[in-house]
Amino acid sequence: MPLPRYKQINTDITPYYHCTSRCVRQSFLCGKDVKTGINYEHRRKWFTDRLHKLTQAFAIDLCAYAVMHNHIHVVLHIAKGRAEGWSMDEVFLRWRMFYKCPPVVRFYLENRALEKEGSASNSQACSEAELNELKALSVQYRERLQSVSWFMRLLNEYIARRANKEDDCKGYFWERRFRSQAILDEKALAAVMAYVDLNPIRASIATSLNNSKYTSIHYRLNAHKARKHPKYLMLFKDQAPNVKDCKDKSPSALSLNNTAHLSFNFHDYKELLCATLTAKQTKTNSEPPRFPTRLLSTLGLEQKKWHIITSRFEMLFSGPVGEPDNMTTFAEKCNRGTRPNVKNAIQYLS
């Protein structure tokens, strides 16, 4: 029986989660069906466009993603506390990007728009009961806008409805509810991001990082070539804005600028990915190229272990991923009776 979500997600312990969804009966999400000749490749853009819209609205950062033929991968960072800095108006406007709000919310937003336009005389004040209802709704929407479950629901439901409409069919599109893995430390985070970014190459959909389309690494490389930062992805440490350059000097803004980025550098990560790919593509019996040592030494991982983890991440770990002590802490805090795959964590991550 599947574990309840509260035993899989605990933002007090870690903000990082690896989520996957797979199509029912191995149906095609994207790619070309050889048997029927139907090409579903255009659906990849549905996915990336939806992801970008979700990251604009939610207090959730996108660390990595890959759109495969019959499944998807995303690595998410829950920016806990970011949503607390939003005003009630901002919460409603963000939620309105996906759902038609109740009449009381629409009435409130219309009045607020009139006030901003200088037409306060045409606006009507809300009653006390309406204000109480608005406050209750804002609390509910605020919680949802920092929820992994709601993020994945709005992603998967949109893709499923659109695909079923195109196929002129009804019923389930996704195999089951999305699967989530808590990522408990830097080692696990770097490994799962590399695993996701290299997935299309491992599946022979692409041959290099540069032609691995509809992945986060492809998006990051294109942004880097244009001398820009990826707008919809969480930045690396060397890409994060300097506090001195931040125009907003409020404590909340400074806090976000200090913490809302990955803990390692993009250059080191890209170099490590390239070396990992080169080693995997080496077919001779000679010694594979040595990996860059900067990021691996920072993480405290050996080359051989890194190679195995990034090739077989989901085979090695079915639940929370991290060092054994972190897995123990997570199990205790989430009232989990077991630590799945802890032996693999001892062997590869400790």
Side-chain angles (χ1 to χ4, degrees):
M1 184 175 178
L3 280 173
R5 198 64 69 184
Y6 74 87
K7 290 192 175 184
Q8 300 181 54
I9 297 175
N10 189 326
T11 54
D12 291 332
I13 301 174
T14 178
Y16 294 100
Y17 295 88
H18 171 221
C19 303
T20 58
S21 290
R22 189 173 295 273
C23 294
V24 68
R25 296 186 301 276
Q26 300 292 301
S27 300
F28 272 81
L29 168 64
C30 305
K32 186 175 181 180
D33 189 340
V34 179
K35 293 182 179 179
T36 63
I38 301 175
N39 194 333
Y40 299 98
E41 198 66 15
H42 60 281
R43 290 180 178 177
R44 293 184 192 270
K45 196 169 187 309
W46 297 357
F47 179 83
T48 55
D49 288 347
R50 187 65 170 182
L51 263 183
H52 295 166
K53 185 175 181 180
L54 286 166
T55 54
Q56 285 182 300
F58 276 68
I60 293 178
D61 300 311
L62 186 59
C63 302
Y65 67 85
V67 189
M68 307 299 290
H69 282 167
N70 58 16
H71 66 283
I72 57 175
H73 291 269
V74 291
V75 180
L76 305 174
H77 169 264
I78 304 171
K80 188 178 180 182
R82 182 186 297 170
E84 301 305 320
W86 296 339
S87 65
M88 187 165 69
D89 295 24
E90 190 171 359
V91 169
F92 289 146
L93 289 171
R94 288 171 180 270
W95 188 252
R96 196 175 64 174
M97 293 171 67
F98 306 101
Y99 287 107
K100 185 179 180 180
C101 294
V104 65
V105 175
R106 298 202 299 271
F107 174 75
Y108 171 78
L109 291 176
E110 287 171 5
N111 282 341
R112 294 292 288 173
L114 288 172
E115 290 173 7
K116 290 179 180 179
E117 292 173 1
S119 305
S121 58
N122 297 326
S123 63
Q124 300 178 24
C126 294
S127 66
E128 186 176 348
E130 288 173 331
L131 284 174
N132 290 334
E133 185 179 356
L134 287 168
K135 289 177 182 178
L137 286 170
S138 69
V139 170
Q140 183 184 73
Y141 295 161
R142 196 186 304 272
E143 289 177 356
R144 290 178 179 179
L145 287 169
Q146 49 188 329
S147 164
V148 170
S149 294
W150 273 94
F151 186 98
M152 293 301 295
R153 172 179 176 169
L154 286 170
L155 174 64
N156 287 348
E157 183 180 307
Y158 171 81
I159 298 296
R161 287 181 183 276
R162 195 164 176 181
N164 280 353
K165 184 177 180 180
E166 184 179 68
D167 294 339
D168 193 23
C169 67
K170 296 180 180 180
Y172 290 106
F173 182 76
W174 299 107
E175 187 175 69
R176 55 180 180 178
R177 65 178 189 165
F178 74 93
R179 178 187 171 205
S180 66
Q181 289 179 289
I183 306 301
L184 304 177
D185 49 46
E186 276 190 351
K187 293 180 183 179
L189 178 61
V192 73
M193 285 180 63
Y195 173 78
V196 170
D197 280 330
L198 294 174
N199 214 337
I201 300 174
R202 197 166 46 248
S204 300
I205 298 173
T207 57
S208 69
L209 298 178
N210 289 321
N211 63 22
S212 185
K213 296 182 179 179
Y214 301 101
T215 61
S216 52
I217 188 60
H218 185 261
Y219 183 40
R220 289 185 190 277
L221 289 174
N222 284 344
H224 184 69
K225 288 177 184 177
R227 297 183 179 180
K228 296 180 180 178
H229 293 323
K231 183 179 179 181
Y232 302 106
L233 295 179
M234 191 174 187
L235 300 179
F236 284 87
K237 185 178 179 180
D238 55 347
Q239 298 174 327
N242 195 319
V243 176
K244 295 179 181 179
D245 300 330
C246 181
K247 295 180 180 179
D248 187 352
K249 299 297 182 181
S250 65
S252 59
L254 294 176
S255 175
L256 286 176
N257 280 317
N258 282 329
T259 60
H261 59 75
L262 295 162
S263 57
F264 34 91
N265 294 334
F266 174 64
H267 175 75
D268 295 340
Y269 177 73
K270 181 183 70 171
E271 192 178 29
L272 183 55
L273 274 189
C274 291
T276 304
L277 181 59
T278 301
K280 288 179 180 180
Q281 291 176 338
T282 302
K283 302 298 183 182
T284 62
N285 294 325
S286 60
E287 184 72 16
R290 287 189 60 81
F291 287 4
T293 58
R294 184 184 301 175
L295 183 52
L296 283 184
S297 61
T298 301
L299 297 173
L301 282 172
E302 298 174 9
Q303 174 179 336
K304 187 176 180 181
K305 291 181 178 180
W306 171 263
H307 177 80
I308 294 172
I309 294 171
T310 54
S311 299
R312 303 166 56 197
F313 190 88
E314 289 185 285
M315 294 175 65
L316 294 172
F317 302 103
S318 60
V321 188
E323 294 188 18
D325 290 345
N326 294 331
M327 293 178 74
T328 301
T329 301
F330 187 84
E332 291 173 352
K333 295 290 184 181
C334 295
N335 297 319
R336 295 176 63 128
T338 61
R339 298 176 300 165
N341 311 119
V342 68
K343 290 184 178 180
N344 289 335
I346 293 172
Q347 183 175 357
Y348 297 109
L349 294 173
S350 61

